[in-house]
Amino acid sequence: MALVTLRVLDGADRGRVFGEVSTPLTIGREEGNPVQLNDERVSRFHLKIQEDQNKVVLTDLESTNGTKVNGESIQLWVLRPGDVISLGRTVLLYGAREEIAKRLANLRGADLAHGVALEADELDQASPTIALEYELQFPEDPAAQSKLHTLLPPELPESLGPGQAAQLSEVLQYLHLRIRGLLRTVRAPAKSDRVTLEQRQWQNLLDLQDRLAGYLRAIGEPEE
């Protein structure tokens, strides 16, 4: 059972702190939600936060107006300290100040190209004396806050059955082959910092994005 902290940055409940709320929990405007918000644009039971395989996972509960994390509309999301959750007119910050400071300390000077994803067990190993104000104003890292929301390479799911692993492999292979085909059509004119893509291949790229969006929706809203 994970304990999570949520602070209201904007909305009717601005300034409220829901500290160390045990999971699983729901957020919504109805009584009965461990995190109840005074926001008419928030659904009665808007989203759920739960622990699964040592990760804290947010799930949108088919809310009317949807949920965004770090500005992106989502159905499912693995939460990390510093993530910004938007629902209705309410903006929530996920994580206690100490958790966010420790994640920033972990990200400081790290090569994000290789991916940095601070998990709960890593938080326990970090120094407990790190101050958020210090990390946000660290002189060698003026853009530290933006690093919290950097897209990092996600880990593959664990404990997949043979059939599930084969399905996932097939999807990734399909995407890999289509992207490889697109890259082979790119032309880079001499003495230019631009590359060109034919209109047909541009539509191919848009179709690929559409297919990815369909995959994400199917995963987030599976048919019963």
Side-chain angles (χ1 to χ4, degrees):
M1 179 183 66
L3 298 177
V4 303
T5 296
L6 295 160
R7 287 179 284 161
V8 184
L9 301 182
D10 206 354
D13 296 289
R14 183 173 55 191
R16 291 188 66 185
V17 178
F18 298 90
E20 297 190 338
V21 184
S22 60
T23 57
L25 66 95
T26 56
I27 300 178
R29 71 171 191 271
E30 189 85 353
E31 290 185 11
N33 288 286
V35 177
Q36 183 182 8
L37 300 173
N38 297 307
D39 187 338
E40 71 278 4
R41 293 183 62 84
V42 168
S43 296
R44 294 172 58 248
F45 292 89
H46 196 104
L47 63 86
K48 181 178 182 179
I49 297 176
Q50 61 189 331
E51 184 181 21
D52 185 64
Q53 298 184 351
N54 296 321
K55 301 182 187 300
V56 178
V57 179
L58 181 152
T59 305
D60 182 86
L61 299 176
E62 299 183 1
S63 62
T64 302
N65 294 309
T67 301
K68 291 183 178 181
V69 178
N70 302 333
E72 293 293 330
S73 297
I74 58 93
Q75 279 84 43
L76 289 169
W77 189 271
V78 177
L79 287 171
R80 295 186 175 90
D83 280 346
V84 176
I85 306 167
S86 302
L87 60 163
R89 294 188 173 91
T90 301
V91 179
L92 303 171
L93 178 63
Y94 172 75
R97 295 176 65 83
E98 295 79 8
E99 292 174 325
I100 297 172
K102 290 173 184 176
R103 185 170 179 223
L104 279 171
N106 182 268
L107 291 172
R108 187 199 313 152
D111 182 3
L112 294 182
H114 296 92
V116 177
L118 190 61
E119 306 298 349
D121 56 345
E122 293 173 305
L123 285 174
D124 294 336
Q125 298 171 12
S127 169
T129 60
I130 299 173
L132 180 59
E133 289 79 3
Y134 173 79
E135 290 302 328
L136 290 176
Q137 299 175 28
F138 192 72
E140 297 179 4
D141 198 0
Q145 183 70 45
S146 64
K147 282 189 176 183
L148 286 170
H149 303 154
T150 300
L151 288 175
L152 306 175
E155 297 176 357
L156 289 172
E158 300 176 353
S159 304
L160 293 176
Q164 293 173 314
Q167 281 184 294
L168 178 60
S169 177
E170 188 175 34
V171 170
L172 294 177
Q173 177 76 349
Y174 167 79
L175 296 173
H176 174 76
L177 291 175
R178 285 197 62 178
I179 291 172
R180 185 175 69 183
L182 282 166
L183 291 176
R184 287 177 174 174
T185 67
V186 172
R187 298 292 177 264
K191 298 181 180 180
S192 173
D193 59 356
R194 295 177 180 271
V195 297
T196 60
L197 195 66
E198 294 178 358
Q199 179 65 30
R200 182 171 61 87
Q201 297 303 340
W202 171 248
Q203 292 300 320
N204 191 357
L205 184 60
L206 293 176
D207 178 72
L208 185 58
Q209 183 182 22
D210 175 65
R211 195 170 294 273
L212 280 169
Y215 284 151
L216 290 169
R217 187 172 187 85
I219 292 171
E221 300 179 0
E223 296 182 1
E224 296 182 358

